Amino acid sequence: MRRHGPYSDEPPQTAPAPAVAPAPWTETRVVGRPLPRVDAYDRVSGSAVYTLDLALPGMLHAAILRCPHAHARVTRVDASRAAAMPGVFAVLTAEDASAAIPWYEGAKGPTSRLLDPHCRYEGDEVAAVAAETPLQAYEAARAITVTYEELPFVVDHAEALKPGAPAVHEGGNRVGEPRSYVRGEVAKGFADADTVLERTYRTPCEIHTPMEVHGSVARWDGDRLTVWDSNQGVFDIRNDLARALGLPLTSVRMICHYMGGGFGSKLDLGKYTVIAALLARRTGRPVKACLTREETFRSVGNRPDHTLTLKAGVKKDGTLTALQLTGLASAGAYPAGASAGYQVTDLYLCPNVKVDETSVYINAGQARAFRAPGFPPGAWALEQMLDDLAHAIGMDPVALRLKNASTVSQARGGQPYTSTGLVRCLTEGAEAFGWKAARARPHGTGPVVRGVGVAAAMWGYAGNPNSTVIIKYFSDGSVNLCMGASDIGTGTKTVMAMVVAEELGVALDRIQIDHADTGTTPYAVASGGSQTVLVNAPAVRAAALDVKRQLLDLAAAQLEVAPASLELRASEIAVRAAPGGPPGPSVALGDLRALQRQQVIVGIGRRAPHPAGKVALPFAAQFAEVEVDTRTGEVRVLRLLGAHDSGRPMNRLTFENQVFGGITMGLGFGLMEGRVLDRQTGRMVNANWHDYKIPTALDVPRELTCVPIDPHDTECNSVGAKGLGEPATIPTAAAVANAVFHATGIRLTDTPINPTQLARRLNDARSRR
Amino acid sequence: MRRHGPYSDEPPQTAPAPAVAPAPWTETRVVGRPLPRVDAYDRVSGSAVYTLDLALPGMLHAAILRCPHAHARVTRVDASRAAAMPGVFAVLTAEDASAAIPWYEGAKGPTSRLLDPHCRYEGDEVAAVAAETPLQAYEAARAITVTYEELPFVVDHAEALKPGAPAVHEGGNRVGEPRSYVRGEVAKGFADADTVLERTYRTPCEIHTPMEVHGSVARWDGDRLTVWDSNQGVFDIRNDLARALGLPLTSVRMICHYMGGGFGSKLDLGKYTVIAALLARRTGRPVKACLTREETFRSVGNRPDHTLTLKAGVKKDGTLTALQLTGLASAGAYPAGASAGYQVTDLYLCPNVKVDETSVYINAGQARAFRAPGFPPGAWALEQMLDDLAHAIGMDPVALRLKNASTVSQARGGQPYTSTGLVRCLTEGAEAFGWKAARARPHGTGPVVRGVGVAAAMWGYAGNPNSTVIIKYFSDGSVNLCMGASDIGTGTKTVMAMVVAEELGVALDRIQIDHADTGTTPYAVASGGSQTVLVNAPAVRAAALDVKRQLLDLAAAQLEVAPASLELRASEIAVRAAPGGPPGPSVALGDLRALQRQQVIVGIGRRAPHPAGKVALPFAAQFAEVEVDTRTGEVRVLRLLGAHDSGRPMNRLTFENQVFGGITMGLGFGLMEGRVLDRQTGRMVNANWHDYKIPTALDVPRELTCVPIDPHDTECNSVGAKGLGEPATIPTAAAVANAVFHATGIRLTDTPINPTQLARRLNDARSRR
C-alpha cells in the first residue's frame, strides 16, 4: 500500500509541461521570508476544526471490537446483547455481507477482508458498533461475545523465518521476494580495502503516534458520501474508498482541512473509514469513527524493526571500496514495505555495493510509511559505520564524508543531480557548529564526559509531479487558491499563499485557501515523501502566472499597450516606469472593465515534469554534542545543528520548524522509542504514551540550530525547492550515537540509546579495563 | 438595485470568445429529451436542505423588529428589557455603530442605513435580536420599547405627485427622471391612422411570495464569513455583502444549494442577511435570520402597481401607425425600477412610438424585479389594445399581430434578430389551439358564455454572458461540474448536466454538480432575467469541449493517432470506425496512462460574446379559452396554450414545466393578486396567504398545452437556447382578458379580473342595453 518513497514501483512520473516553463526567480519579495502561518491563530486558539473535533447534527459514534489475541480465528460472534443496549443503532460483524469487502487480495499475495475471521495480530478488526455516544459504543462493542480459536503466533522476524514457525499467511512468512541491489563486485571491493569492518545494527519498531488520533466522520447525502478523515492525502485515499464501496469517484467527497500529524501513518485508507461509511449508510446518520490512542499504537502502522548487517571497506586515504548490507525487517501481519538500503547505494561514492533485504510477516500491527521510510534505520547503520571507518583509519569523520561525496546518483545510473549541497552541508554545518574546536576539546575527566558527532543524509524520492492547481482572481484583487494538497502541519497553506503573493502582488490575508477536499479542489499528490512543496509550489506558481497573463492581457487591451510592458500591483495594473522616469499609465482593478464584467479570472497550473536525465534530491548533515553521565548511562543532548540542502527555503520560519521537528523525532528514534511485544502473549505492552516514551519539550536540546543551504537550484523545478520533511529526521540518531562514541568510546548499535543499555556497556568497558 | 432586464444601464456585455467557437449541434442524444431532474428525489423526499432547513451546532435565531407605521421617526429605543430575557444573546439597534452601514447613499439619491431611525414604510427594520430559539427571539423583539413620532404618509402613486403630498424622501417623490423613448412622430402616426383608441390600464402591486421565505444563516470562522442564503445569484449578492461589511470578496462565502422560489425577489442583498452576519459576529455563534411569511409580504419586494395610458393608431389593413404610452408606477419607499414600456417599443412594427414613464416613491414596501419586470403590465395594456384595434377594424386578432410581426429590433436600432419565432408561435399556436374554430364557435346563450383570446409577448433581455464554468473529469470517467449558477427551481442543474452528458458521453448519475457557492464555484450571473440557460449552458459546453480536447490529446499520444480521429465513449476512447468497417483501436480510460497519472482533467469554459450587430430574444403567443358566468362574474379558464420560441428546448420536460408555471403565475396576476394598502393607516391588510390569493392546483385549467417552437437558432449562442422563464408569464393575463372580452364584450382594464369587478361591469352593460 505504500505509495511514496524511493522504492516505489511507479513508472517515472511525467506531467504535461506548461506552454512556457517559467523562468527561475532571480529575487523574491515574499518567498523566503520568515512568515508566521496563515492559519496560526486558528491552530493555537483551538478554533481550527480537526476531524476529531467535528460534530454533525445527529452524528453517531463508532467503536471497533478488536481481536485481543496475537493470532486467532473467530469461530462465533454473538452481537445480540450489544444490539439491544441503549443508544445502539447498528452492529457490524464479519457475518454482514457489507463487511466482506476484500482488503487484501491477489493471485500470489495474502487475502483478507474488512472484517476477517482470521485475526493475525492483537488489534485486528472483528466487529463495530454505532451508538449515540462514544461510551455507549465502547460498552456495546465490549458486550459482543466472540469465541476465538487461539493460534500459535510469532512476533520476531528472525523467529518467523525459522522452519516450523507459525505461518501468519498461507505461503510462508516472507513478504514477496527479497529486495536486492548490486553494483560492481563487493568481494573485489573488500579485497581492495585497507580496512574492513562489519557490524550488526538493530532498530526496534517505532510508532508514529501523531497528536491527532486516526479517525473519520462519514455522512451520506443520498448516494453521495462525504468523509472527513484525518489523513495526508485526500485524493488517493478517496480513490481507494470509492473502489472499496464500488462508487464513482465523484460520489465520494473526502475532506481534511486540519490535520494533527501523520508522519506517513495517514497515507492509506483505514478500515475505520470504511466502517464509518458502512455504519452511516446502515443508520442513515453521520457516523464518527475515531480511534483511541491505544488503538493507534497497535493498528495504524509503524516503522518496522530492522536487523541490518553492514560490512564496509575503506582505503587508508578514505576511499570507500565496498559496502554490503543485509537486512531483515518486520512487515507486521499484512504486506508492507520495509527496506533500509537506499543510502547505502547512493549517499557516498562507492564502486561496489550489494544490498539484500528481506521483509517478514509477524503477528503484529502492520508497518506503514514513516517519515523517511527506511532511511533513519539505514542512516543508523551507514553513518555509524562511516564514523567507525574514520576512527579506524584515523581520519576526521567530516573529512571522510567529504572525500566520498557524490554529484551523481549512482543508484540511478549515474544521472547527475540538479544540485548537490552535501559538501556545503558538511563544511558550512561544521563551520557553524564549531566542529573542529568541539572535536578537539577534551572529553572531560568524568564522571560526566562530552563528545560531538556528525551524520549525513540524503532522501531518495523526487516526488510525483501530477498535482493540478486552480487559482481564482476576483474583481477586487482578492484571490482563491484552490489546491488539493493537504497541510499536515508543515505550513503548506502558508508557503503556497506566499507563492501566490509573490506572483500576484496580493497580501496574504486576501488569499483564501481551499485545500484537501476532493469535492472542491483538483487532484494533488499526497503530502508524504517530502514532495508537498516541490510538487505543489511549482503548480501554484504556474496557476498564478496563468492568472497574471490573463489579467495583463485584459489590462493591455484596455490601456492599448503591450502586455509585456505592464506590471501587476496590489490594486492596479500599470505600465512599468522607466528607471527614474515618470509613472506610466495605469488602470485600477476596479476600473478594469473586462475584469469587472467577468468578475473572476481562473488560472490553472501544473508542475513541469522532472528534468530529463537528472535527479533532484535533498541532502543534509547534522551535528550533535552530548554529555554522558558515565555512572548512570544518561545521555543529555546539549546541542544539535542541522545543515540542510533542501533547495530554496520557501519560508525561513517553517523551514526551521521542519528541521527542529525532524531532529526532535530523530531524538525519539535514537534515544527513547520502541514497541515492546510480549513474547509470552504476542501482545504489545507499551501501547500508550505512558509506557511508550516520545520526546517532550524538556527532552529537546536547548541549542537547536538550523543552517539552510540553498544551492540556487534552477533545474529541479520552477521554485527551486527540494524536499525537507524527511531528511530533517534521517541522520539525527546516528549523529547522537557518534557523539556518544566520541564521548565514551562505546559504539551503540541498537536503538534506543537508553541509560540501561549504555550503563551496561560502560560497565562492561570499565570491567575490561 | 435591479440588475437584470431590458432597461438595465449596464454597458453592452461581452466576454472573451473561446479560441474556436464550437459548431452548433446538428443532432443531440441527450439534450432535448424529457428527463426528470437530477435532484428530483432530494426535492420530493424532503432530504434537500434549503436555507430554511439548515441547522448548525450552536445556531441562534434572529428576529427583526419592524416599524408598525407607514411613516415614522424613531425617537427612542429601549432594548434593556429584551436583552435580559431568557435565551437572548444580542440585540442590535440603530444606536449600534455596526448598524450604521449605509444602505442607500449618493449625491442625488435618497440616503438611509441598515437600521434607519427614519422609517418609510410599515416593515422598515428598527432592531434585531438573536436568541436561542425563534420564539425567544420574537418575544424579545416585541419587548423592545420603541418611541415613534408618526409622520404623514402617502400610499398611492397619483397622490404622491400632488403638491403638498408627504415626502417619502427629501427632494420629492419622483424616483429620478422619467424614462422616455421616442421613435418617429406619434402625432403624425395618429393622423395617418384610420382608427385611434386610447385606454388607461391599471395593475395593482403583486407580491412574489415564493414558497420558501427569504432568509440567511451566517457563520464566522475567524475573519471569514459563510452565509447560506435563499437567493437567485450568490455572486452579486456576495459582492454587495462583502462591500457592506468591508471585507475582501474571498472572505465572504455565500451558498445556496436548494432554493424554494424567488421570481426576482431574491436577486438583492437583504437587510436580514447583514443582520444575521452582524449578530453572528457579535455572539460568536451561527445565526439564522429567516423571515416570517408576513414579513416577506411587506419587506422583500413586489411588482409595482402601474397606471398605463396607451393610445394606438391603426390603418384599416391592420398597419400600426402610432403607439403612445404614459406610465406611472410605485417604486415603494426606496429606489426601484418600475417601467412597463419595452414591448410597446419593440414587439410590433410601428414607425411612431413614444413612451414616458414615471416612478414614484410611496410609503410602502420597495419594488423589486418580478418575473419579467414591467412586461406583464405592459402586455396587459398592449395586448388588450391590439385586441381592441382588431375588433375596431374587424380583423382577426391573430391576423393583426401577424401583420405587424417584426424581424428586427426597432428599439435597438433595427438590428436583426438571430431568430424570430413570433410568426410561428402565432400560427402554430393557433393551429394547435384550434383558434379559428374556437373563435367562430357561438359564445352560448347564457348565463354561462365562452370565448377565446390570444396575446403575444417578447422578452427584452439577452443576458450577461460572463459566467465561467469549470469541469473536472476524473480518472474513472466520472465528472464534477463546477458552476456558479443557481438552480432556482427551474432545473438548471439537470439541463447543465445534460450538456455535459451530451459532450462527454457520461451518464447523468456520474456527474456530480457543485453550484451556487462563491467559495467553490466560479462566477456566474444571477439566475434572473431568463438568462440562466442561455448564458451558462454555452459555458458548460465550452468547458466540456475543453475537457474533451485534452482527453483526446492524451489518448492520441498514447495510441499514436490524430486526436481528430478519436471519439469519446463512456469508458474508453476509440478511433472512429469507418461506416461498416471494423472497430478501430481503442484505449480504456483505466489504461490511459496520462489520465491515470494526473487523475483529473480540468476544463474551463465561458460563453462567447453576443453575436455582433444582432439581437437574440425569445417570443411567445398564448391562447386562452374561458367560461364566464354572467350572473356572478366568475371566470373559469378552461384551457391555455403557450407557444414559445425560446430557441432549443434543452429538456422537453423542464421546458413544459416552465411554461405551465409561468402561465399559472400569469393567472394569479390576471385573476387574483393585488396588495391592499389601507388608506387610513397606510398598512398592508392582506400580508398573508389567507387574504392574498395566489393560484393553487385547483385554479389551474385542466387543459394546459405547451407548444415549443424551435427556430434552430445557430447564431444566438452555441446551444441555440433563448430565455424561457420570463416570457412564459408575460401574455397570460392579457390572453385571458381578451377571451373574457370575446365571451362578454366587456373590456376589463384593471387586474385582477375578479367576480366583483366583472359582475359590476356586466350589470352596467345590461343596464345600458
Side-chain angles (χ1 to χ4, degrees), chain A residues 281-416:
Chain A
R281 190 156 62 188
R282 175 89 62 90
T283 59
R285 297 252 216 146
V287 171
K288 179 187 244 180
C290 282
L291 302 192
T292 63
R293 179 65 59 193
E294 296 222 349
E295 285 178 288
T296 67
F297 268 91
R298 292 196 177 89
S299 303
V300 290
N302 53 67
R303 184 194 299 288
D305 48 345
H306 286 270
T307 302
L308 300 168
T309 300
L310 181 59
K311 185 176 173 185
V314 67
K315 291 195 179 175
K316 279 183 191 152
D317 68 351
T319 306
L320 286 173
T321 60
L323 288 166
Q324 179 171 7
L325 178 76
T326 310
L328 198 61
S330 304
Y334 296 98
S339 44
Y342 190 86
Q343 284 163 117
V344 168
T345 68
D346 220 18
L347 180 55
Y348 299 113
L349 282 170
C350 184
N352 308 297
V353 177
K354 187 165 192 301
V355 173
D356 292 284
E357 295 191 84
T358 301
S359 290
V360 179
Y361 291 121
I362 63 171
N363 291 112
Q366 178 191 19
R368 274 190 185 170
F370 191 155
R371 201 172 189 172
F375 280 64
W380 177 250
L382 178 66
E383 291 301 298
Q384 288 205 75
M385 177 56 80
L386 264 279
D387 206 62
D388 267 349
L389 294 175
H391 185 74
I393 63 172
M395 194 170 179
D396 179 82
V398 172
L400 177 63
R401 288 171 171 86
L402 287 170
K403 169 88 188 168
N404 294 286
S406 175
T407 57
V408 302
S409 171
Q410 302 158 92
R412 302 183 184 200
Q415 292 184 58

Side-chain angles (χ1 to χ4, degrees), chain A residues 6 40 47 114 145-146 150 170 182 194 257 290 351 388 400 411 467 484 522 622 645:
Chain A
S47 58
L114 182 68
T145 313
V146 184
E150 286 188 61
E170 287 175 28
V182 178
D194 294 316
H257 284 160
C290 282
D388 267 349
L400 177 63
S467 291
Q622 292 184 355
D645 162 24

